[in-house]
Amino acid sequence: MKAVRFHEYGELEVPIARSYPLESVQDAFRELERGHTHGKIVLRP
């Protein structure tokens, strides 16, 4: 089972700091470079 399924069923908690559309990948990397995120940065289609 994929990790996403575990998350959907509440069996896995992954803190998400922010979600970006794929075309904003540069903005996502800039945020990561600042180093102040509390959670994962997610790129979505």
Side-chain angles (χ1 to χ4, degrees):
M1 186 179 271
K2 293 182 179 182
V4 172
R5 298 276 186 223
F6 284 116
H7 188 265
E8 288 173 352
Y9 292 121
E11 297 175 9
L12 175 68
E13 289 189 34
V14 179
I16 304 295
R18 189 152 180 202
S19 174
Y20 289 91
L22 191 55
E23 59 269 7
S24 297
V25 68
Q26 291 178 344
D27 295 331
F29 272 98
R30 277 191 213 93
E31 184 168 340
L32 284 173
E33 287 175 342
R34 285 194 295 264
H36 295 100
T37 58
H38 295 347
K40 301 295 181 185
I41 301 293
V42 176
L43 293 173
R44 61 184 190 282

